[in-house]
Amino acid sequence: MKKLMFLAVAAVALMCSCNSNKFKVSGTVEGAGDTTTLFLETNINGNWLFVDSVVTSGDKFAFTEDAAEYPNIYRLGCRGKDAIYFPIDSVDNIQIKTSIAKFAEDYTLSGSDNAVKMMNIDKQAAKFSKAGDTSSAAYVKWKDELSRDLVKDPAGIVAFYLINKYIGDKPLFDPLDKKDFKIIGAVTNAFANFRPNDPRTSYMVDNFKVGLSQRRSESAPRDTLVATEASLIDIKLMDQHGKMQSLQEVSSHGKVVVLNFTMMNQSFSPALNKLLNSVYTKHKASGLEIFQVCLDSDEAEWMQSVASLPWIAMRDPNGEYSQYASAYNITQLPTVFIIGRNGEIVERVGNVEQLETAVAKHL
């Protein structure tokens, strides 16, 4: 699953401690020679942030970085290849052995028990994904074993990784599945109790709320407007400038906010953005903000489309499988909501051509 990557050194710095402790990631990539560039990235609330890059020397490489204040997931990338994922806890020394030919297929991790555990999980998941086998008895048995192992350490970094992991285009632990949702809840609760200051905790709590709303939406009649749409469900994503944005935070300053779910690669996009720009330009001084959530799959194309937009534009890396889109009962694009100055949804705009009239009414 593609994730949005930004060169956001300041954001990464927030995850690092202020001491001189370091962690190390090193190893060999057979066939890399002296010219292959490798990338180290870290995950913050579902988005991948660039940490550093190195060029291999005689197939070898090494990264030495500031130790993070909390355990986190990292990945080693090589252009055109799937990435290798692993956890880092404090001053871990992780070793990776792989090859250019089978970069994320045939590799070994060592240096910590959690790294080895994640490697084994990812390799088994890759087999099921490649075979398109996510409903067989073998898959169900493997997932049950994962669940039992997961609840032994629900506040661990591997547990966090698992409840956010996808196999193909489907979540390993699906919030719409009653049994899976209990596992998600157990991990979320453990982080809330034992890691209240961990940056991942608030992200997990928000996702749990989204999953809860999603379950309620799925159980409601299809022609019924789900009651939770009247309340504001937070959305936390990186914007086009690499800044983490929160819908609740943006809506808490007494502004009228236009919440727009859309895609930039659709035929309607130029006209929609022209309309949004007209409304934004006219009413910005009166306290209007636009919070645009894009479900595009191609991050490079999306970034090119939104780079010069004057409002807050974000891309949900889960695309059409966005939990936020499900929580807001999005059945077509574009969809527009208006959030009043009190921070609550006051209108779902049925005809976007009437957006100017709708916004003016609430301003």
Side-chain angles (χ1 to χ4, degrees), residues 112-159:
S112 79
D113 291 340
N114 280 338
V116 174
K117 183 182 293 187
M118 269 186 54
M119 174 187 68
N120 292 332
I121 290 170
D122 281 349
K123 286 186 175 182
Q124 187 59 56
K127 291 180 180 178
F128 284 118
S129 178
K130 188 175 182 179
D133 181 17
T134 57
S135 59
S136 66
Y139 177 81
V140 172
K141 180 181 178 181
W142 173 70
K143 189 172 170 181
D144 284 343
E145 292 172 352
L146 280 184
S147 299
R148 287 193 294 270
D149 187 58
L150 185 153
V151 296
K152 294 177 183 177
D153 184 20
I157 191 62
V158 176

Side-chain angles (χ1 to χ4, degrees), residues 19-266:
N19 55 44
S20 59
N21 290 338
K22 304 285 184 179
F23 71 82
K24 186 175 182 180
V25 180
S26 60
T28 58
V29 182
E30 183 181 343
D34 297 326
T35 59
T36 301
T37 301
L38 302 177
F39 303 92
L40 183 67
E41 299 167 341
T42 188
N43 188 283
I44 299 181
N45 291 352
N47 297 283
W48 288 99
L49 302 182
F50 177 86
V51 176
D52 201 358
S53 64
V54 297
V55 177
T56 54
S57 176
D59 291 352
K60 299 185 181 299
F61 72 92
F63 293 90
T64 302
E65 306 292 338
D66 291 335
E69 185 177 357
Y70 298 95
N72 202 12
I73 304 298
Y74 288 75
R75 69 181 183 185
L76 180 70
C78 179
R79 196 172 303 279
K81 308 286 185 180
D82 289 336
I84 297 171
Y85 296 78
F86 50 90
I88 293 289
D89 187 355
S90 187
V91 291
D92 280 347
N93 186 349
I94 302 297
Q95 294 87 47
I96 302 174
K97 293 183 179 180
T98 186
S99 66
I100 283 293
K102 296 186 176 181
F103 190 76
E105 298 176 45
D106 185 12
Y107 65 95
T108 59
L109 288 174
S110 59
S112 79
D113 291 340
N114 280 338
V116 174
K117 183 182 293 187
M118 269 186 54
M119 174 187 68
N120 292 332
I121 290 170
D122 281 349
K123 286 186 175 182
Q124 187 59 56
K127 291 180 180 178
F128 284 118
S129 178
K130 188 175 182 179
D133 181 17
T134 57
S135 59
S136 66
Y139 177 81
V140 172
K141 180 181 178 181
W142 173 70
K143 189 172 170 181
D144 284 343
E145 292 172 352
L146 280 184
S147 299
R148 287 193 294 270
D149 187 58
L150 185 153
V151 296
K152 294 177 183 177
D153 184 20
I157 191 62
V158 176
F160 170 81
Y161 180 69
L162 285 176
I163 69 166
N164 288 283
K165 181 175 178 59
Y166 275 65
I167 294 186
D169 57 7
K170 295 182 179 179
L172 175 58
F173 288 92
D174 188 347
L176 294 181
D177 181 277
K178 184 177 180 180
K179 188 175 180 180
D180 286 359
F181 196 58
K182 288 183 178 180
I183 296 294
I184 295 171
V187 175
T188 302
N189 188 59
F191 267 72
N193 285 325
F194 299 108
R195 297 181 180 273
N197 298 319
D198 191 312
R200 277 155 292 278
T201 299
S202 61
Y203 171 72
M204 294 170 67
V205 170
D206 288 340
N207 279 352
F208 183 81
K209 292 177 181 177
V210 168
L212 189 60
S213 297
Q214 191 176 5
R215 287 174 59 80
R216 290 171 178 167
S217 175
E218 286 295 317
S219 63
R222 284 291 145 197
D223 58 352
T224 300
L225 183 66
V226 179
T228 53
E229 274 193 358
S231 299
L232 194 66
I233 299 169
D234 198 15
I235 297 175
K236 288 184 177 180
L237 293 168
M238 290 284 190
D239 69 13
Q240 69 268 48
H241 306 297
K243 179 181 178 182
M244 181 63 69
Q245 297 284 358
S246 163
L247 178 59
Q248 284 188 346
E249 199 280 330
V250 171
S251 303
S252 66
H253 301 296
K255 291 186 175 183
V256 170
V257 179
V258 170
L259 170 60
N260 170 223
F261 287 86
T262 189
M263 292 178 72
M264 289 295 166
N265 62 355
Q266 300 300 303

Side-chain angles (χ1 to χ4, degrees), residues 296-318:
D296 298 77
S297 59
D298 190 318
E299 58 191 81
E301 184 180 0
W302 170 82
M303 178 60 79
Q304 186 176 8
S305 299
V306 303
S308 61
L309 294 181
W311 55 80
I312 300 169
M314 296 142 297
R315 172 181 169 270
D316 189 332
N318 292 324

